[in-house]
Amino acid sequence: MSFTPLPAHVRTARLVATAVARRSGVDEALLDEVRLAVGEACSRAVEAHQEHCPAEPVRVALTGTDGRFEVVVTDTAVQHNGAAEAAGPPANGGSEALGEEPAGAAGEPVRQAVPGELGLAVIEGLADDVEIARTTAGLSIRMSWPSATAAS
């Protein structure tokens, strides 16, 4: 499925993913994790699209095969700002790339929250298996959980 990058559509994506997970045989105890992880991944994609490519849809693929329920959330925002990421860390030692200011009041680096790092950690804590891939086409977050329906 794909949807316009608006926050209101994240709720719908969560509901659809949870319903498909239930029908795929994901244990009831894991459905909240599916809902939260899909919501976080979709929220990240919506935020990136609103900033970099608001006309492009967010894509969500839901599959249930081989005893696994899998969700892949893909955004295309990286292709619009990928040149900066591909260039590598800044020449001043890379502190901005790590979310740090060059120096605090005492001359020590000051760590700031890097947008999205916490969200990825949340997703990794909720999903049974997570794979995050940055490509020239965008960022893809693949999450999966065990399901009762195994292929024969």
Side-chain angles (χ1 to χ4, degrees):
M1 74 175 155
S2 63
F3 62 90
T4 306
L6 296 172
H9 296 305
V10 172
R11 179 177 186 270
T12 303
R14 283 193 319 247
L15 291 172
V16 169
T18 304
V20 173
R22 181 178 284 118
R23 290 184 58 99
S24 295
V26 173
D27 189 85
E28 287 289 324
L30 295 176
L31 293 179
D32 278 340
E33 282 83 356
V34 171
R35 181 180 56 81
L36 292 170
V38 170
E40 182 62 36
C42 288
S43 293
R44 290 175 46 78
V46 164
E47 184 178 324
H49 275 238
Q50 285 183 331
E51 184 175 340
H52 300 287
C53 54
E56 294 292 321
V58 173
R59 297 188 190 332
V60 181
L62 309 168
T63 56
T65 58
D66 297 328
R68 304 290 299 170
F69 171 67
E70 183 175 280
V71 179
V72 180
V73 177
T74 305
D75 72 57
T76 55
V78 175
Q79 70 184 5
H80 297 278
N81 67 350
E85 291 179 8
N92 68 354
S95 59
E96 285 85 2
L98 298 174
E100 296 174 350
E101 292 178 356
E108 298 176 8
V110 178
R111 178 85 171 137
Q112 295 179 346
V114 175
E117 279 185 5
L118 180 59
L120 291 176
V122 168
I123 292 168
E124 289 176 340
L126 292 168
D128 187 57
D129 183 37
V130 178
E131 181 180 307
I132 301 165
R134 290 190 191 274
T135 67
T136 57
L139 179 70
S140 175
I141 301 174
R142 185 191 58 76
M143 307 162 279
S144 70
W145 295 265
S147 69
T149 55
S152 299

